[in-house]
Amino acid sequence: MKLCRFGALGAEKPGIVDAEGRVRDLSAVVADIDAGVLSAEGLDRLRAVAIADLPLAPADARYGVPVAGTRKFIAIGLNYADHAAESNMPIPAQPVVFNKWVNCLQGANDPVVIPRGSTKTDWEVELGVVIGTYAYNVDEADAAKHVAGYCVVNDVSEREWQLERGPTWDKGKGFPTFGPVGPWLVTADEVEDPQALGLWLDVNGTRVQTGSTATMIFGVAQIVTYCSQFMALEPGDIITTGTPPGVGAGQKPTPWFLKDGDTVRLGIDGLGEQTQQFRDWSR
């Protein structure tokens, strides 16, 4: 299933994508795409719904964040060896974990605001993992049972705040609008192998990132298991799992970054696409 939330900011409704790619309104079935829906039992109830009988959402409806009630937006850094190399950083022996603030979450195609004074706002296409059931100290063999599904994430980053203002990456990762997610959540049963997905990203029509989750250093199961050792993962939590090479900071011979009016388009095989216009903070 492809689950989404559509409508105006703050007034999103739950939706499901039908076989023709149209969004159907789930409001008569569930109140939202939240913890009660993301469990195995909740998803099974949705699978029993006659989707074709549901009303269509407006064709031009905005996509919101595809899951409601997210309490943690966790990110993994340097999780592709070739991205670590372009960043001039060693391949990590353990996952690099940092936070994106929950209030940076936004819809897949909403505009992104370049922070005041920023000259190093950057892009990162990433596979997002949505937790479906409570996970604490889980074994790697059981990790997949706690995953509700997958989505596209643009881990927008401000490199000066991330790398030049002390050792805490979080400072450059959670500016308002820096967390586009979606357009939908694809349930785990429809993703045959999360470690075999192509990723790509274009800036102003130029392809800058092309990669595959097959080259992740730490796979999804390893990441869920690792994080669950020192935090309790809860339904609706999102883990974004790292980016392949091709970010602005790694461009050769000269790094280049996003400016007012730039358009970023990105996607992952089977999980959909996003498009964002980047805007200066002053407008």
Side-chain angles (χ1 to χ4, degrees):
M1 293 182 292
K2 293 182 175 71
L3 304 177
C4 65
R5 298 170 68 245
F6 67 92
L9 180 65
E12 292 91 348
K13 296 180 179 181
I16 187 167
V17 181
D18 67 18
E20 287 73 42
R22 300 171 299 183
V23 176
R24 299 275 182 169
D25 190 340
L26 275 173
S27 297
V29 181
V30 294
D32 213 336
I33 307 298
D34 55 16
V37 169
L38 296 173
S39 67
E41 297 77 14
L43 293 174
D44 282 343
R45 287 193 293 270
L46 284 188
R47 291 187 183 97
V49 173
I51 296 175
D53 294 338
L54 298 173
L56 287 166
D60 60 350
R62 166 189 172 269
Y63 284 105
V65 179
V67 58
T70 297
R71 298 177 67 179
K72 292 187 287 298
F73 191 7
I74 305 153
I76 307 299
L78 302 176
N79 198 28
Y80 291 71
D82 34 13
H83 172 56
E86 75 172 353
S87 302
N88 295 313
M89 294 183 180
I91 295 173
Q94 298 187 45
V96 176
V97 182
F98 58 92
N99 289 301
K100 290 179 74 75
W101 316 126
V102 172
N103 63 359
C104 82
L105 286 165
Q106 67 166 15
N109 303 318
D110 292 345
V112 175
V113 177
I114 297 171
R116 182 174 183 173
S118 171
T119 59
K120 296 183 180 180
T121 295
D122 207 345
W123 58 83
E124 295 190 8
V125 58
E126 304 197 2
L127 173 67
V129 178
V130 179
I131 299 299
T133 56
Y134 182 92
Y136 182 58
N137 278 329
V138 301
D139 294 330
E140 190 171 325
D142 296 323
K145 299 175 184 177
H146 298 277
V147 175
Y150 302 93
C151 56
V152 182
V153 175
N154 188 354
D155 176 18
V156 185
S157 308
E158 210 297 326
R159 300 301 187 191
E160 180 183 351
W161 278 99
Q162 178 192 355
L163 301 172
E164 300 173 29
R165 300 195 181 209
T168 307
W169 284 15
D170 312 52
K171 291 181 287 187
K173 294 287 190 170
F175 285 93
T177 74
F178 268 33
V181 176
W184 43 65
L185 159 71
V186 179
T187 53
D189 60 302
E190 294 196 2
V191 179
E192 183 175 353
D193 184 358
Q195 305 307 148
L197 301 174
L199 309 85
W200 56 270
L201 184 145
D202 298 344
V203 178
N204 297 331
T206 298
R207 182 64 46 93
V208 290
Q209 284 190 280
T210 304
S212 170
T213 58
T215 65
M216 286 168 59
I217 299 168
F218 305 102
V220 170
Q222 292 173 288
I223 290 168
V224 171
T225 298
Y226 184 82
C227 290
S228 79
Q229 294 177 43
F230 53 87
M231 70 178 81
L233 299 172
E234 300 167 289
D237 286 352
I238 300 170
I239 306 175
T240 189
T241 59
T243 196
V247 300
Q251 296 295 312
K252 303 292 190 297
T254 305
W256 55 282
F257 299 100
L258 294 164
K259 61 185 184 304
D260 184 56
D262 284 345
T263 298
V264 173
R265 183 169 167 258
L266 59 150
I268 300 177
D269 293 348
L271 303 185
E273 299 181 6
Q274 304 181 354
T275 301
Q276 297 111 27
Q277 184 179 68
F278 281 67
R279 298 180 180 174
D280 186 74
W281 69 275
S282 62
R283 70 178 182 95

